[in-house]
Amino acid sequence: MTQQGGSFDKDLIRELAALLDETGLTEIEIEHEGRRIRVARGSGKAGFTAELPDQASREALRASSRTEEFIVHPGTVTSPMVGTAYRSPEPGAPPFVEIGSKVAAGQTLLIIEAMKTMNQIPSPRAGTVIAILIEDGQPVEYGEPLAVIEQR
């Protein structure tokens, strides 16, 4: 547990960690009275960070990460729902697309299983897949970057 710039209610942190387990979310972040608390689950353990709003170093680190770079890319395809992303139509089958694949508008990029329903995620534009930002079987959240398609 990392703590900076004051103390936080440990019961609140425990409640947020329990909420992660209950909902299946991977991260919760709240801000109150100028302090931000982020509780995230990585490899099965809940983690905690606290920061003051003037900490620029974490933001700079986040901005340099590969996923963050593609969030602002105009060709980023984001998840329209919460669910589990799959890169192929069934286990053992080849993926719908790979990095370098040429895609047409409407072509299936991947599928997201939500509430036992398989939802095809189509390419919004024609182009070349320059990045795939998820792993097969990875849980995804609404708005999470999935892939990047550079227009032809």
Short mmCIF file of all heavy atoms in Angstrom, two decimals, residues 23-48:
data_model
loop_
_atom_site.label_atom_id
_atom_site.label_comp_id
_atom_site.label_asym_id
_atom_site.label_seq_id
_atom_site.Cartn_x
_atom_site.Cartn_y
_atom_site.Cartn_z
N THR A 23 -17.70 -7.02 -8.78
CA THR A 23 -18.12 -6.60 -10.12
C THR A 23 -17.27 -7.18 -11.23
O THR A 23 -17.66 -7.11 -12.39
CB THR A 23 -18.07 -5.06 -10.24
OG1 THR A 23 -16.72 -4.63 -10.02
CG2 THR A 23 -19.01 -4.41 -9.24
N GLY A 24 -16.10 -7.70 -10.90
CA GLY A 24 -15.21 -8.20 -11.94
C GLY A 24 -14.42 -7.10 -12.62
O GLY A 24 -13.72 -7.35 -13.59
N LEU A 25 -14.55 -5.86 -12.13
CA LEU A 25 -13.78 -4.75 -12.71
C LEU A 25 -12.30 -4.94 -12.39
O LEU A 25 -11.94 -5.64 -11.45
CB LEU A 25 -14.24 -3.41 -12.13
CG LEU A 25 -15.64 -2.95 -12.50
CD1 LEU A 25 -16.03 -1.72 -11.71
CD2 LEU A 25 -15.73 -2.67 -13.99
N THR A 26 -11.45 -4.31 -13.17
CA THR A 26 -10.01 -4.40 -12.92
C THR A 26 -9.48 -3.16 -12.22
O THR A 26 -8.37 -3.19 -11.70
CB THR A 26 -9.24 -4.59 -14.23
OG1 THR A 26 -9.56 -3.53 -15.12
CG2 THR A 26 -9.58 -5.93 -14.87
N GLU A 27 -10.26 -2.08 -12.20
CA GLU A 27 -9.76 -0.83 -11.63
C GLU A 27 -10.92 0.08 -11.23
O GLU A 27 -11.93 0.13 -11.91
CB GLU A 27 -8.92 -0.14 -12.71
CG GLU A 27 -8.33 1.16 -12.32
CD GLU A 27 -7.45 1.72 -13.45
OE1 GLU A 27 -6.68 0.97 -14.05
OE2 GLU A 27 -7.58 2.92 -13.71
N ILE A 28 -10.75 0.77 -10.12
CA ILE A 28 -11.70 1.80 -9.67
C ILE A 28 -10.87 3.01 -9.26
O ILE A 28 -9.88 2.87 -8.55
CB ILE A 28 -12.55 1.35 -8.47
CG1 ILE A 28 -13.41 0.15 -8.83
CG2 ILE A 28 -13.41 2.50 -7.95
CD1 ILE A 28 -14.16 -0.44 -7.65
N GLU A 29 -11.28 4.18 -9.70
CA GLU A 29 -10.58 5.41 -9.32
C GLU A 29 -11.61 6.43 -8.89
O GLU A 29 -12.60 6.65 -9.58
CB GLU A 29 -9.76 5.94 -10.50
CG GLU A 29 -8.89 7.11 -10.13
CD GLU A 29 -7.90 7.46 -11.24
OE1 GLU A 29 -7.60 6.62 -12.08
OE2 GLU A 29 -7.43 8.61 -11.23
N ILE A 30 -11.38 7.05 -7.73
CA ILE A 30 -12.27 8.11 -7.25
C ILE A 30 -11.43 9.31 -6.85
O ILE A 30 -10.27 9.18 -6.50
CB ILE A 30 -13.16 7.65 -6.07
CG1 ILE A 30 -12.31 7.25 -4.85
CG2 ILE A 30 -14.08 6.53 -6.47
CD1 ILE A 30 -13.12 7.00 -3.60
N GLU A 31 -12.06 10.49 -6.92
CA GLU A 31 -11.39 11.71 -6.49
C GLU A 31 -12.33 12.43 -5.54
O GLU A 31 -13.52 12.55 -5.81
CB GLU A 31 -11.06 12.59 -7.68
CG GLU A 31 -10.21 13.78 -7.32
CD GLU A 31 -9.68 14.53 -8.53
OE1 GLU A 31 -9.77 14.02 -9.64
OE2 GLU A 31 -9.21 15.66 -8.32
N HIS A 32 -11.77 12.89 -4.42
CA HIS A 32 -12.58 13.59 -3.43
C HIS A 32 -11.69 14.58 -2.69
O HIS A 32 -10.61 14.23 -2.22
CB HIS A 32 -13.18 12.57 -2.45
CG HIS A 32 -14.05 13.19 -1.39
ND1 HIS A 32 -15.26 13.78 -1.68
CD2 HIS A 32 -13.87 13.31 -0.06
CE1 HIS A 32 -15.79 14.23 -0.57
NE2 HIS A 32 -14.97 13.97 0.43
N GLU A 33 -12.14 15.81 -2.62
CA GLU A 33 -11.42 16.87 -1.90
C GLU A 33 -9.96 16.98 -2.32
O GLU A 33 -9.06 17.07 -1.49
CB GLU A 33 -11.55 16.67 -0.39
CG GLU A 33 -12.97 16.81 0.11
CD GLU A 33 -13.09 16.61 1.61
OE1 GLU A 33 -12.08 16.31 2.28
OE2 GLU A 33 -14.22 16.75 2.11
N GLY A 34 -9.72 16.92 -3.61
CA GLY A 34 -8.36 17.10 -4.13
C GLY A 34 -7.45 15.90 -4.01
O GLY A 34 -6.27 15.98 -4.32
N ARG A 35 -7.96 14.77 -3.58
CA ARG A 35 -7.16 13.55 -3.48
C ARG A 35 -7.78 12.48 -4.36
O ARG A 35 -9.00 12.38 -4.46
CB ARG A 35 -7.09 13.05 -2.04
CG ARG A 35 -6.36 14.04 -1.18
CD ARG A 35 -5.95 13.42 0.08
NE ARG A 35 -5.24 14.43 0.85
CZ ARG A 35 -4.83 14.25 2.05
NH1 ARG A 35 -5.03 13.11 2.64
NH2 ARG A 35 -4.19 15.20 2.69
N ARG A 36 -6.93 11.70 -4.95
CA ARG A 36 -7.38 10.65 -5.85
C ARG A 36 -6.94 9.31 -5.30
O ARG A 36 -5.81 9.14 -4.87
CB ARG A 36 -6.76 10.87 -7.23
CG ARG A 36 -7.31 9.94 -8.28
CD ARG A 36 -6.73 10.23 -9.64
NE ARG A 36 -6.98 11.62 -10.00
CZ ARG A 36 -6.19 12.32 -10.80
NH1 ARG A 36 -5.12 11.79 -11.32
NH2 ARG A 36 -6.46 13.57 -11.08
N ILE A 37 -7.87 8.34 -5.32
CA ILE A 37 -7.58 6.97 -4.90
C ILE A 37 -7.88 6.06 -6.08
O ILE A 37 -8.95 6.14 -6.67
CB ILE A 37 -8.45 6.53 -3.70
CG1 ILE A 37 -8.21 7.43 -2.50
CG2 ILE A 37 -8.17 5.07 -3.35
CD1 ILE A 37 -9.13 7.13 -1.34
N ARG A 38 -6.92 5.21 -6.39
CA ARG A 38 -7.08 4.23 -7.47
C ARG A 38 -6.77 2.86 -6.90
O ARG A 38 -5.71 2.64 -6.34
CB ARG A 38 -6.12 4.53 -8.61
CG ARG A 38 -6.26 3.57 -9.77
CD ARG A 38 -5.26 3.97 -10.87
NE ARG A 38 -4.91 2.81 -11.63
CZ ARG A 38 -3.93 1.97 -11.37
NH1 ARG A 38 -3.14 2.18 -10.35
NH2 ARG A 38 -3.71 0.93 -12.12
N VAL A 39 -7.74 1.96 -7.02
CA VAL A 39 -7.54 0.58 -6.58
C VAL A 39 -7.64 -0.27 -7.84
O VAL A 39 -8.60 -0.17 -8.60
CB VAL A 39 -8.63 0.15 -5.55
CG1 VAL A 39 -8.43 -1.29 -5.14
CG2 VAL A 39 -8.60 1.07 -4.33
N ALA A 40 -6.60 -1.06 -8.10
CA ALA A 40 -6.54 -1.85 -9.33
C ALA A 40 -6.16 -3.28 -9.01
O ALA A 40 -5.42 -3.55 -8.08
CB ALA A 40 -5.54 -1.24 -10.30
N ARG A 41 -6.67 -4.17 -9.84
CA ARG A 41 -6.34 -5.58 -9.69
C ARG A 41 -5.47 -5.97 -10.87
O ARG A 41 -5.80 -5.74 -12.02
CB ARG A 41 -7.62 -6.41 -9.69
CG ARG A 41 -7.34 -7.87 -9.64
CD ARG A 41 -8.57 -8.74 -9.66
NE ARG A 41 -9.67 -8.15 -10.39
CZ ARG A 41 -10.93 -8.34 -10.08
NH1 ARG A 41 -11.24 -9.07 -9.05
NH2 ARG A 41 -11.88 -7.80 -10.79
N GLY A 42 -4.33 -6.56 -10.58
CA GLY A 42 -3.43 -7.02 -11.64
C GLY A 42 -3.49 -8.52 -11.73
O GLY A 42 -4.40 -9.09 -12.26
N SER A 43 -2.54 -9.20 -11.12
CA SER A 43 -2.46 -10.65 -11.18
C SER A 43 -3.17 -11.29 -10.00
O SER A 43 -2.58 -12.00 -9.21
CB SER A 43 -0.99 -11.07 -11.21
OG SER A 43 -0.34 -10.55 -10.06
N GLY A 44 -4.46 -10.99 -9.87
CA GLY A 44 -5.24 -11.60 -8.81
C GLY A 44 -5.18 -10.87 -7.49
O GLY A 44 -5.88 -11.20 -6.56
N LYS A 45 -4.32 -9.87 -7.33
CA LYS A 45 -4.22 -9.11 -6.10
C LYS A 45 -4.71 -7.69 -6.34
O LYS A 45 -4.51 -7.13 -7.39
CB LYS A 45 -2.76 -9.02 -5.64
CG LYS A 45 -2.15 -10.34 -5.25
CD LYS A 45 -0.74 -10.09 -4.77
CE LYS A 45 -0.08 -11.37 -4.33
NZ LYS A 45 1.30 -11.14 -3.91
N ALA A 46 -5.33 -7.11 -5.34
CA ALA A 46 -5.74 -5.72 -5.45
C ALA A 46 -4.57 -4.84 -5.05
O ALA A 46 -3.82 -5.16 -4.15
CB ALA A 46 -6.94 -5.43 -4.54
N GLY A 47 -4.38 -3.75 -5.77
CA GLY A 47 -3.30 -2.82 -5.46
C GLY A 47 -3.90 -1.47 -5.12
O GLY A 47 -5.07 -1.24 -5.35
N PHE A 48 -3.09 -0.56 -4.59
CA PHE A 48 -3.60 0.74 -4.19
C PHE A 48 -2.56 1.80 -4.45
O PHE A 48 -1.39 1.60 -4.18
CB PHE A 48 -3.94 0.70 -2.69
CG PHE A 48 -4.17 2.06 -2.09
CD1 PHE A 48 -5.36 2.72 -2.28
CD2 PHE A 48 -3.18 2.69 -1.37
CE1 PHE A 48 -5.58 3.96 -1.73
CE2 PHE A 48 -3.38 3.95 -0.82
CZ PHE A 48 -4.59 4.58 -1.00
#
